[in-house]
Amino acid sequence: MNYELSSRTKITSFVMIAIGLISIIASFATHNHQAWSNLLHNTFYFMVISLCGTFFLALQYVSEAGWSVSIKRIPEAMGMFLPYAAVLMLIVLFGNLIAGNNGGHYLYHWLHHDLYDPTSPEYDKIIDGKSAYLNLPFFVVRMLSYFIVWVGFAFTLRKLSLKEDKEGGDKFYKKAKRVSAAFLVLFAITSSTAAWDFVMSIDTHWFSTLFGWYTFAGLFISGLSVMAIISVYLIKKGLMPWVTEHHLHDLGKFMFAFSVFWTYLWFSQFMLIWYANLPEEVTYFLVRFEHYRGLFWANFFINFVTPFLVLMTRDAKRKLNTLMAVGVILFIGHWIDTFLMITPGVVKEDWHIGWMEIGTTIGFIGLFMIVTLNAISKAPLLREKHPLLKESLHHSI
């Protein structure tokens, strides 16, 4: 059974993209500083959602999980957005460099060349001490390396999946397992270093050894939420009748468990820094607590309390509408979380969330939607020749 991308879906996606472009133009015309922050925020957020698709797929191969075969086409398709994310991230970086005549200060303060000149009044000994890692050539090399690895593995797994559909047998499945094992090793490294580069380096003086794990937890929940939304959408259209409440239950368990894991990391990072009360550490939370207090606590309640209370019961994880509702809430919640990771370091207290910020996000949703749904339409939704298909079809918990 195949999904066909309807003209209505295409028109809706292109209208959303147009709204996003108008919002971005208006944002640059009125609030230049936050416009750059907003672009980085959305690019990073949808990049990690796409990356989660490839990570989830690789995890299923390596763990030899059978239940997920029924929905594997969805994370496969999500990974196809990564090339677009790569292009957008490069546009954000180099566009910011061109626009910021004094060294790209809009996003990354450490790019300002005077910070490394001992004769300059702006010389910063701490940032200069990090110059072996935080310098533009090495930053670009790392960025390109991330996308070469991520896009390469996403397309390789997709290619093996399509070949398996045509030829069957264990050959391509076993090769996909080996490829996935290699990807997970590289993902463990690159997901953390990318979080340091794209996000943590905005607050250049501050660092946290938990930040890579914290970003990963948010990445995984955001991706799971999108997977749940797309799954329910396709089920309601009658295109995935083989997906039962048992499959939904497992997806719901993942969402529930990693919401708790994310909360553990959120609390650990905040509590340890608050308790130590060291000036070089608390500066990160001071600006967020003083000028973003409402969002700061909303972030906690939306991303922990809501999924914890709603998905705690067995029945809740098996209901289409409940799972989709929680998926939408978590999608919004971790959009807020990513906003709090990026915006305070760029615009400090001069922030707002208005129609331009929301419109930009709508544009990104439209682009992600058209790319992902188009990829889903290019292959059968059911992996009929997958060696673990029978296990998935008879999955019961």
Side-chain angles (χ1 to χ4, degrees):
M1 189 175 290
N2 287 58
Y3 167 76
E4 293 184 8
L5 192 63
S6 66
S7 57
R8 182 179 178 181
T9 302
K10 292 178 183 178
I11 292 171
T12 301
S13 299
F14 289 133
V15 169
M16 293 172 75
I17 293 170
I19 291 172
L21 289 173
I22 292 169
S23 301
I24 291 169
I25 293 169
S27 185
F28 274 106
T30 55
H31 303 92
N32 201 30
H33 235 73
Q34 186 156 339
W36 284 112
S37 176
N38 197 31
L39 261 184
L40 177 62
H41 167 208
N42 283 285
T43 301
F44 182 79
Y45 188 53
F46 285 88
M47 177 193 79
V48 298
I49 288 173
S50 179
L51 182 59
C52 172
T54 303
F55 168 73
F56 180 85
L57 191 63
L59 188 64
Q60 303 311 300
Y61 274 118
V62 171
S63 62
E64 298 184 355
W67 74 272
S68 57
V69 174
S70 296
I71 62 168
K72 270 190 175 180
R73 284 292 183 225
I74 296 171
E76 270 182 27
M78 288 167 60
M80 297 300 99
F81 184 77
L82 281 170
Y84 296 85
V87 172
L88 288 167
M89 191 62 81
L90 288 169
I91 290 173
V92 170
L93 174 64
F94 288 105
N96 176 63
L97 282 171
I98 294 169
N101 294 324
N102 59 350
H105 69 286
Y106 288 123
L107 292 175
Y108 299 110
H109 179 63
W110 56 265
L111 286 169
H112 198 311
H113 57 81
D114 288 345
L115 297 171
Y116 306 95
D117 182 2
T119 63
S120 169
E122 295 185 29
Y123 175 70
D124 191 311
K125 186 177 181 180
I126 294 174
I127 296 178
D128 189 31
K130 300 181 179 183
S131 61
Y133 185 82
L134 289 179
N135 60 80
L136 184 60
F138 192 26
F139 183 87
V140 173
V141 168
R142 292 197 304 274
M143 180 190 289
L144 293 175
S145 299
Y146 300 149
F147 286 114
I148 289 170
V149 170
W150 297 343
V151 173
F153 277 97
F155 276 77
T156 299
L157 289 175
R158 172 73 166 183
K159 183 179 179 181
L160 291 171
S161 172
L162 296 177
K163 284 186 176 180
E164 184 184 82
D165 282 350
K166 293 181 179 179
E167 301 180 30
D170 292 344
K171 174 184 175 183
F172 297 110
Y173 174 73
K174 290 179 179 178
K175 187 172 182 180
K177 279 177 61 179
R178 294 194 294 271
V179 169
S180 296
F183 170 75
L184 290 178
V185 173
L186 293 172
F187 174 84
I189 300 169
T190 57
S191 62
S192 286
T193 54
W196 303 342
D197 291 344
F198 296 144
V199 181
M200 192 168 73
S201 71
I202 292 172
D203 296 276
T204 318
H205 284 186
W206 180 83
F207 67 92
S208 168
T209 54
L210 272 178
F211 197 80
W213 284 104
Y214 177 79
T215 305
F216 161 74
L219 168 160
F220 198 36
I221 299 167
S222 304
L224 288 169
S225 301
V226 172
M227 254 184 274
I229 293 168
I230 296 174
S231 297
V232 174
Y233 167 73
L234 294 173
I235 291 168
K236 286 194 170 188
K237 289 182 72 70
L239 296 172
M240 297 176 72
W242 54 85
V243 177
T244 67
E245 61 182 11
H246 304 287
H247 301 99
L248 295 175
H249 189 130
D250 274 342
L251 194 54
K253 284 194 296 185
F254 266 108
M255 293 167 68
F256 177 83
F258 277 88
S259 292
V260 175
F261 179 59
W262 173 88
T263 307
Y264 162 71
L265 294 174
W266 180 92
F267 178 75
S268 296
Q269 183 169 259
F270 172 69
M271 186 274 291
L272 291 174
I273 290 175
W274 170 82
Y275 185 78
N277 200 28
L278 298 175
E280 65 271 23
E281 294 185 5
V282 298
T283 179
Y284 178 84
F285 284 103
L286 277 177
V287 65
R288 287 156 177 81
F289 200 70
E290 291 177 1
H291 303 292
Y292 297 75
R293 183 170 299 189
L295 274 184
F296 183 83
W297 291 116
N299 185 34
F300 170 78
F301 284 103
I302 293 173
N303 292 318
F304 171 61
V305 176
T306 302
F308 185 79
L309 294 179
V310 176
L311 293 179
M312 185 181 293
T313 65
R314 174 183 172 88
D315 289 343
K317 301 181 186 73
R318 295 167 169 255
K319 295 178 180 177
L320 291 176
N321 291 335
T322 302
L323 204 62
M324 176 173 268
V326 174
V328 171
I329 290 169
L330 286 174
F331 175 84
I332 295 170
H334 283 280
W335 181 91
I336 292 172
D337 184 43
T338 309
F339 181 88
L340 287 170
M341 291 163 67
I342 292 173
T343 306
V346 178
V347 301
K348 309 303 180 187
E349 69 273 12
D350 300 321
W351 69 281
H352 63 275
I353 296 179
W355 71 267
M356 289 177 285
E357 287 68 38
I358 295 172
T360 301
T361 304
I362 289 172
F364 272 83
I365 292 173
L367 179 60
F368 183 85
M369 187 168 75
I370 190 70
V371 171
T372 303
L373 293 180
N374 183 59
I376 288 175
S377 70
K378 299 299 183 182
L381 285 170
L382 185 63
R383 302 275 299 275
E384 293 183 352
K385 295 183 180 180
H386 195 287
L388 300 180
L389 177 62
K390 287 185 178 180
E391 180 183 336
S392 183
L393 295 178
H394 294 92
H395 179 60
S396 177
I397 53 174

